[in-house]
Amino acid sequence: AEFAQRIGVAQVLKRLKKRIKTWLKRLDQADPVKRRRHCPAHRPRYYRTRSFVLADLLRWLLHLASTDEVIRELEDYAHLAGAVNFNPDQIPDKSTFSRRRQVVPLAEIMAMMHHLVRLLIKFKVIDGQAWIIDLTRVPTYSSIKKDYPDRPNNKSDPEAEFCGYRDNDDALQLGYCLLFVIDFKTELPFACLFANGSAHDSPLAQPILQQALDQQPDLAARCTYVMADGNYDTSPFFTFVLNKLQAIPVVTKNPRNALDPETDLTTDTLALLRRPGPMHQALFNCRSAVERTNSRAKLLFNLKYHKQRGWEAVQRCCLLSTIAMLTVALVALETGHPDKLRKGWTWIRRH
């Protein structure tokens, strides 16, 4: 079963490379010019940047916890090494992986994610009629109990902030947060925003909705409902959804607003659906789809167990985990498994 799973993942990567040829060619243009056709044995082999990006994506597809595990998989399974354009007997070491993955700008990885989203829209998988927005916390296993005097904030991750996650010792951790906008029909994300661990939901709502509006105008034109929990029960959120997206906001009442009658009455005035009411409740119950998306990103695609620290490194992990989720959905559709868009492992093993 393990060997069959590796074969399936290799096929997934090969199909993905065919779909992102343009992006890979643009990535290759940043590589240094190869001066020699045959490198001497005592000199390091020339590697393309695309190989390190695909190998990082392989890590999230196979639920691997570290770069060392990725290297072992590439050395043990020649078909996996070939799928990411590595020579099986010349796999780079860990330090080379760490250095070369930083060469790729985060903007390029974000562009890859948007390209996959556009493909899923083209194949009529993501329809965008109902959007769901939610924030989830991403831990870095930087405990508030442990101090590091040589760090700016005395913690192992100098850029992380308090996020409330508990580690194995029941101690609270520092971390970051990830905001998703997903399609209700497929439970697939088409926009994401990375922020510090102590960020609140409502101030980030308008930036990510504007991002989705700019990057996916076709989805924005079809948007009918935008669903969110009580953290988004604010006037700016209602105004943006009504005026910019021209959609109906479906947001539950925030009980904290009852303490401020002016705020409470303002959001009630902007709400097009009576709260509480049968129509509003039926639509709001659909919001649980985004919780399943958050769980898949953390558990199935290993975002909860990453070992990276630092703003850029953790943001890279979040983007690659999202890309892995979209890749599985795209290849499931291409291989005749449209019912497995959200269940990657069940069909990858049998591919």
Side-chain angles (χ1 to χ4, degrees), residues 168-326:
N168 296 332
D169 300 328
D170 202 36
L172 296 175
Q173 302 176 42
L174 303 179
Y176 303 89
C177 71
L178 181 64
L179 198 65
F180 275 141
V181 178
I182 73 161
D183 174 52
F184 166 69
K185 175 185 173 183
T186 58
E187 299 180 8
L188 292 175
F190 57 87
C192 66
L193 182 67
F194 189 75
N196 60 66
S198 60
H200 193 264
D201 304 54
S202 56
L204 299 177
Q206 185 169 338
I208 192 172
L209 290 177
Q210 185 65 52
Q211 175 189 325
L213 180 62
D214 296 337
Q215 295 290 339
Q216 312 298 340
D218 293 339
L219 289 184
R222 294 197 293 265
C223 181
T224 305
Y225 301 102
V226 178
M227 292 168 275
D229 59 19
N231 290 324
Y232 302 89
D233 187 25
T234 61
S235 298
F237 179 80
F238 277 81
T239 304
F240 186 90
V241 173
L242 291 170
N243 297 337
K244 294 288 187 177
L245 293 176
Q246 297 183 355
I248 300 175
V250 183
V251 182
T252 186
K253 286 180 66 67
N254 192 329
R256 291 190 295 271
N257 288 346
L259 301 177
D260 185 356
E262 184 176 351
T263 303
D264 194 39
L265 292 175
T266 302
T267 55
D268 276 344
T269 303
L270 295 172
L272 299 182
L273 298 177
R274 184 168 57 88
R275 304 182 300 174
M279 182 64 176
H280 176 273
Q281 190 62 39
L283 289 171
F284 182 74
N285 289 341
C286 300
R287 201 200 66 85
S288 61
V290 73
E291 303 295 347
R292 292 189 288 273
T293 301
N294 293 337
S295 298
R296 286 201 309 277
K298 291 182 179 179
L299 301 177
L300 185 59
F301 296 101
N302 211 32
L303 191 56
K304 184 178 179 180
Y305 304 104
H306 73 91
K307 296 183 179 179
Q308 302 294 324
R309 289 184 174 89
W311 179 282
E312 184 173 343
V314 179
Q315 185 177 5
R316 191 179 301 270
C317 292
C318 294
L319 288 174
L320 288 171
S321 177
T322 306
I323 290 172
M325 191 186 309
L326 296 172

Side-chain angles (χ1 to χ4, degrees), residues 15-126:
R15 288 180 176 271
L16 173 65
K17 288 193 296 183
K18 293 181 180 179
R19 289 293 180 182
I20 59 173
K21 280 184 179 180
T22 305
W23 185 83
L24 292 175
K25 288 180 180 179
R26 187 169 72 248
L27 199 64
D28 290 340
Q29 293 177 357
D31 288 339
V33 179
K34 185 177 179 181
R35 297 181 178 179
R36 298 188 180 185
R37 179 171 297 181
H38 302 288
C39 295
H42 65 281
R43 292 182 180 272
R45 176 179 168 80
Y46 172 80
Y47 299 105
R48 289 191 291 179
T49 303
R50 66 161 67 186
S51 299
F52 295 91
V53 176
L54 294 173
D56 270 344
L57 184 59
L58 174 70
R59 171 182 173 181
W60 303 105
L61 288 171
L62 286 178
H63 203 284
L64 304 177
S66 64
T67 305
D68 292 327
E69 293 185 22
V70 175
I71 294 174
R72 283 196 294 269
E73 291 287 336
L74 294 174
E75 292 174 344
D76 293 342
Y77 298 96
H79 50 276
L80 284 180
V84 299
N85 302 122
F86 276 139
N87 194 326
D89 57 350
Q90 292 183 332
I91 305 298
D93 56 11
K94 183 178 180 180
S95 60
T96 305
F97 265 96
S98 301
R99 185 177 66 255
R100 293 295 295 272
R101 67 163 55 101
Q102 297 175 2
V103 174
V104 185
L106 290 174
E108 287 291 342
I109 300 180
M110 181 71 78
M112 180 182 177
M113 187 197 80
H114 289 309
H115 179 69
L116 291 175
V117 170
R118 284 191 289 269
L119 285 175
L120 291 169
I121 296 173
K122 178 181 177 181
F123 295 150
K124 299 182 179 179
V125 177
I126 298 178

Side-chain angles (χ1 to χ4, degrees), residues 8 136 140 166 169:
T136 185
T140 59
R166 294 187 179 274
D169 300 328

